[in-house]
Structure formats: structure tokens, C-alpha cells
Amino acid sequence: DIQMAQSPSSLSASVGDRVTITCRASRGISDYLSWYQHKPGKAPSLLIYSASTLQAGVPSRFSGSGSGTDFTLTISSLQPDDFGSYYCQQDYTMPRTFGQGTKVEIK
Amino acid sequence: EVQLVESGGGLVQPGGSLRLSCAASGFTFNNFAMSWVRQAPGRGLEWVSTISGSGRTAYYAASVKGRFTISRDSSKDTVSLQMNSLRDDDTAVFYCTKAKRLWVGDLLDYGMDVWGQGTTVTVSS
């Protein structure tokens, strides 16, 4: 199975800060990597797919990069609505695997 | 509007069974793989199972293999998850999801772009 190691596990940042979350796959997955946002009591939502393609309707302050084993999710200017947990997930093979998540708190 | 609506969650004793259903609407159901993803209390997201667009191929997490069965009914645009031999650690919110990429017979995908609201399964005596 491909393991997805995500860091940090949590962070606290101020509105306007640049936030970066990293995800490392245990072996190469090309660019078959998705990012999700999950807020308490709501369904998760797809933010980015194919490592760097923004899902329709997602604000442009979100961006993704990487290929192979190392990936990054960046929020260029953190907004109050960006609280929640963020997960990476590989779309390369079965079983699908998620990172352990990053909880983002707004200071 | 593309929509997934889950049902069937509830309280069940350890060793018991439960069947979750997910009604899909707003897209061509047979063109997309469908999956179940769960989140246990205080834990992260865990992929559970995926069924191909044709329904001929199914994949399972090791933690549920042999106990859970995924299926789909193209006449009703529904996907189901039959859960047997339930354990305490199966307690979770279960989400039905739609693959973003059209099913072409391989294992590659572009994430899960539609999620249901979730249904809660509690396994407890």
C-alpha cells in the first residue's frame, strides 16, 4: 500500500498568512494526488486534483504543487472561512490512501 | 444538481449487520466509479471501498475486506454497502462519494468531487 505522510498535523495562523501543508507518498504517484477540505459537521470537499488543478468554485488563494512523492498545498492568504482539516489522498492505485490530516486553526 | 443522499445508518450491536444506501442524481451514474469513505470519531478520513462504473470490479480496504460488500444498481442509480460482522472500530460517519474522472477501466483518478452528507454508524452493545 502507498502511505501518505502529511505535515504538520495542526497549525494556527492569522488571517492573511501564507500557509503551507506538505504530503509525501511512500512511492511515486506521478501527479495523481488530491486535496480535500473538511469542516466539522459537513461533508469533505475537493479542493485540488491532479496535484495542481483547482476544482471548480474553489478560491484562487488555494494552490497545489508537486509530482512523484512530494506535494504541497498552499493557501496564499488565509481567510476566516479556511478553518478545518485538510487531507491529501493518492489517486494512483488501490487501496486509496489519505494523509492523516492537518487541522488549521485561525488565530 | 449533482447530489448523493445516504441512508441506512444507525445503532447496531457488535457482530451485527447494516446496509447503507446512497441515491445518486444529476449525473450519468454508470459513467463513474463510486466509493465509500468513513471518519471515525476523532480520526481522519479513511477510504473504505470503491466500485467501478460497470459494477464488475470492487476494491476494499484491508480493515473491511471479507466483511463489507459494495454494490450498485444502475436501474435505481444507487450504490450500497452491506456491512457484516460489525466491530466497535467500525463506528464512524460514512460518506458516499463520486469519482471525478470518467470510468475508463484503470485505477487512476482525479479525486472524489461529490460527497453525500454522511450517515452515522454506531457499533455498541
Side-chain angles (χ1 to χ4, degrees):
Chain A
D1 297 1
I2 297 177
Q3 311 303 318
M4 307 300 293
Q6 198 174 325
S7 63
S9 56
S10 66
L11 65 90
S12 181
S14 300
V15 172
D17 283 355
R18 183 181 184 88
V19 168
T20 299
I21 299 169
T22 63
C23 182
R24 175 166 287 177
S26 59
R27 61 180 174 95
I29 58 171
S30 185
D31 63 350
Y32 290 95
L33 189 283
S34 298
W35 290 96
Y36 300 88
Q37 179 190 61
H38 190 197
K39 295 184 178 183
K42 296 202 168 182
S45 62
L46 178 65
L47 293 175
I48 286 169
Y49 61 95
S50 296
S52 60
T53 304
L54 207 61
Q55 172 69 355
V58 174
S60 58
R61 63 181 179 274
F62 291 92
S63 65
S65 64
S67 183
T69 59
D70 293 315
F71 303 88
T72 300
L73 173 69
T74 300
I75 308 173
S76 61
S77 177
L78 192 68
Q79 298 301 303
D81 191 47
D82 297 338
F83 74 93
S85 294
Y86 292 81
Y87 296 88
C88 62
Q89 176 240 315
Q90 61 85 12
D91 294 303
Y92 188 72
T93 192
M94 295 295 180
R96 299 292 191 228
T97 41
F98 286 90
Q100 69 270 37
T102 297
K103 187 173 183 179
V104 173
E105 175 193 92
I106 311 296
K107 280 183 186 173
Chain B
E1 180 193 6
V2 178
Q3 197 174 10
L4 299 172
V5 179
E6 302 104 333
S7 59
L11 174 64
V12 61
Q13 292 188 337
S17 298
L18 210 56
R19 186 177 181 87
L20 306 182
S21 292
C22 171
S25 59
F27 63 98
T28 305
F29 184 66
N30 290 350
N31 283 355
F32 298 92
M34 300 293 293
S35 300
W36 289 92
V37 173
R38 67 183 179 182
Q39 184 180 38
R43 306 292 296 271
L45 299 176
E46 179 189 17
W47 171 82
V48 173
S49 181
T50 295
I51 188 165
S52 65
S54 64
R56 284 196 284 267
T57 310
Y59 307 89
Y60 299 94
S63 58
V64 307
K65 196 166 187 177
R67 300 187 299 123
F68 290 11
T69 302
I70 192 171
S71 60
R72 63 193 297 160
D73 184 342
S74 60
S75 68
K76 298 179 181 177
D77 287 0
T78 60
V79 59
S80 298
L81 187 68
Q82 177 66 41
M83 304 185 294
N84 299 329
S85 303
L86 283 161
R87 310 186 301 220
D88 290 352
D89 62 359
D90 292 317
T91 293
V93 177
F94 282 74
Y95 296 99
C96 173
T97 76
K98 167 191 165 291
K100 181 172 177 65
R101 182 176 181 245
L102 286 170
W103 177 257
V104 295
D106 60 25
L107 298 182
L108 303 171
D109 217 325
Y110 298 144
M112 295 172 272
D113 64 345
V114 182
W115 295 61
Q117 82 286 357
T119 188
T120 301
V121 172
T122 303
V123 184
S124 174
S125 53

